Amino acid sequence: MLATSPVTTILPVVDSERARDFYDRVLGLRYAGISGDGKHLFAISSGTLALLTKPEPTKAEHTALSFEVADVATAVRQLTDRGVLFEDYDLPGLKTVEKVCILGSEKAAWFKDTEGNILCVHETVR
């Protein structure tokens, strides 16, 4: 039952209009309107992204949402051109080179949305 159910990812945001602009204009996601309880909704291939307004920022130290892309280097270039700032890491087991890290069978690059949520673009290495 759940294996075939569409998924809704809910991300906390303090400024819902600022976040809506980022996901719509900067990331290019398709805006789907406002839910009955006031969340901004975006249609994504795996289901829905919902932005939940919170009075205080929520601090997660992990990736909240990752987008699988065909070519992570191209995605980094295109998103950088749209104003996205990618993170650089130099940690044991996690080092980025030109904003991209190779993790076994994946290449990945991380950035934050306007609310501090950690997002990722990743590519499966074949």
Side-chain angles (χ1 to χ4, degrees), residues 59-126:
K59 183 68 177 157
E61 296 183 12
H62 62 276
T63 304
L65 181 63
S66 188
F67 297 92
E68 185 171 351
V69 296
D71 184 309
V72 76
T74 299
V76 167
R77 270 193 314 278
Q78 290 174 345
L79 290 169
T80 298
D81 289 347
R82 297 180 77 137
V84 172
L85 300 175
F86 282 85
E87 302 289 316
D88 281 310
Y89 296 104
D90 190 359
L91 306 167
L94 183 70
K95 180 173 177 55
T96 54
V97 175
E98 296 182 14
K99 309 298 182 192
V100 176
C101 179
I102 298 175
L103 299 166
S105 63
E106 287 188 337
K107 294 180 183 178
W110 294 268
F111 60 99
K112 293 180 181 171
D113 70 4
T114 57
E115 311 307 297
N117 294 303
I118 300 170
L119 309 179
C120 178
V121 289
H122 71 273
E123 165 191 355
T124 300
V125 179
R126 301 183 201 290

